[in-house]
Amino acid sequence: MNALPQHVGIIMDGNGRWAARRQLGRVEGHRAGAEAVRRTIRAAREIGLSTLTLYAFSAQNWARPVAEVAHLMELLSTFLRDERDELALRGIRLVTIGDESRLAPPIRDLLDIVKRMTCGNRELTLCLALSYGGREAIVAAARALARAVAGGMDPDAIDAAMFEEMLDTCALPPLELIIRTSGELRLSNFLLWEAAYAELYFTEVPWPDFGRRELDAALAAFAQRRRRFGLTEEPAIRSPAARAGP
Ligand code: FPP
């Protein structure tokens, strides 16, 4: 049995299909999705998770129709305005990853306020991935390292640990579980580097129907997984190559 994952990431998918099944517009699906966000944060806090990252808006989502992007941004603002006191009261710290420079200044200001209000909180870290792309994050890290090399750093000094320090997620615990709702079986540019040893959990449940029960089911599945990190399960005789290594 594994303990609780230190860091859970959720790809919140299926708002549009949830709405279509009810003959509602996509806007209604996203509104119901925002309710699921609130429920899931509350559940994560009750369960005692340390870090929860929600894929709220991808770098690619900017290409959606203007009205849909505006609605998603409006839901984000409403969420931040409505929930800031609750987050502060319940010991939840807000952080973000992604290219915030693309967000409208009023949303950036709101994010700054809520982050500052909650920065001392320790019960749960809520990380919102906003204007986020895993490839974009890797490219930004590569660019930062290239600059350091241009400034004289030895390229051979670059290793995985140094690369990781260049990512927005460097201060978060290792990602151990990724949940994706609504039946699609892919990562869609979410935390690509961080997913290296994360367990993947897919559910048919569309995001607007997600809540405590579904989160518990994902955590129960995680508890049963055999995590090997490239090793064998038995204390096997190590290969000469491994023995020669550090
Ligand atoms: C995917 O559903 C979901 C999104 C693109 C964004 C997630 C947004 C929310 C849950 C709403 C508000 C967020 C916050 C933080 C308050 P989809 O539209 O791609 O669904 P589909 O694949 O069924 O069309």
Side-chain angles (χ1 to χ4, degrees):
M1 280 272 282
N2 299 309
L4 279 179
Q6 298 179 66
H7 179 177
V8 177
I10 307 186
I11 303 172
M12 309 183 287
D13 195 16
N15 294 349
R17 278 162 286 168
W18 179 93
R21 260 178 241 133
R22 288 163 177 75
Q23 283 155 5
L24 299 168
R26 297 182 60 78
V27 163
E28 303 305 322
H30 292 316
R31 195 170 295 142
E35 284 310 310
V37 165
R38 290 178 167 88
R39 272 199 307 276
T40 304
I41 295 169
R42 213 176 308 128
R45 164 76 176 69
E46 282 166 14
I47 291 167
L49 286 185
S50 146
T51 304
L52 175 69
T53 296
L54 299 178
Y55 201 8
F57 193 85
S58 76
Q60 287 64 38
N61 285 157
W62 289 112
R64 290 195 176 196
V66 176
E68 183 168 346
V69 170
H71 181 68
L72 285 167
M73 291 299 149
E74 191 48 49
L75 283 175
L76 175 62
S77 300
T78 307
F79 168 81
L80 293 169
R81 263 188 243 106
D82 290 356
E83 299 297 315
R84 58 184 166 189
D85 292 338
E86 184 78 4
L87 296 177
L89 197 73
R90 297 203 178 276
I92 300 171
R93 176 173 73 118
L94 178 74
V95 300
T96 58
I97 53 173
D99 182 3
E100 261 188 45
S101 70
R102 296 186 73 183
L103 300 174
I107 295 191
R108 288 202 324 245
D109 291 347
L110 203 48
L111 282 168
D112 269 357
I113 292 169
V114 183
K115 281 190 219 176
R116 251 184 284 121
M117 271 174 75
T118 61
C119 68
N121 288 350
R122 290 290 173 268
E123 291 297 320
L124 167 72
T125 295
L126 168 65
C127 173
L128 292 182
L130 295 170
S131 189
Y132 174 83
R135 284 180 173 176
E136 287 77 358
I138 290 170
V139 168
R143 216 179 273 135
L145 288 172
R147 274 197 208 99
V149 168
M153 188 179 77
D154 178 1
D156 287 334
I158 300 172
D159 59 9
M162 186 186 285
F163 199 94
E164 232 155 53
E165 279 171 30
M166 301 294 146
L167 297 170
D168 283 4
T169 49
C170 71
L172 301 177
L175 181 70
E176 295 196 300
L177 174 65
I178 294 178
I179 299 170
R180 181 172 187 143
T181 59
S182 212
E184 307 288 346
L185 308 179
R186 56 178 172 265
L187 289 179
S188 299
N189 209 16
F190 183 55
L191 298 175
L192 297 180
W193 171 282
E194 296 81 353
Y197 285 101
E199 296 295 322
L200 307 180
Y201 178 87
F202 299 100
T203 171
E204 293 291 329
V205 172
W207 176 251
D209 290 338
F210 197 89
R212 172 73 195 245
R213 195 152 48 107
E214 289 70 29
L215 184 56
D216 280 339
L219 295 173
F222 175 83
Q224 300 302 324
R225 298 279 174 92
R226 291 188 170 166
R227 309 193 71 214
R228 294 202 297 270
F229 303 97
L231 306 172
T232 60
E233 290 201 356
E234 289 138 41
I237 301 160
R238 300 174 79 198
S239 71
R243 258 182 270 138

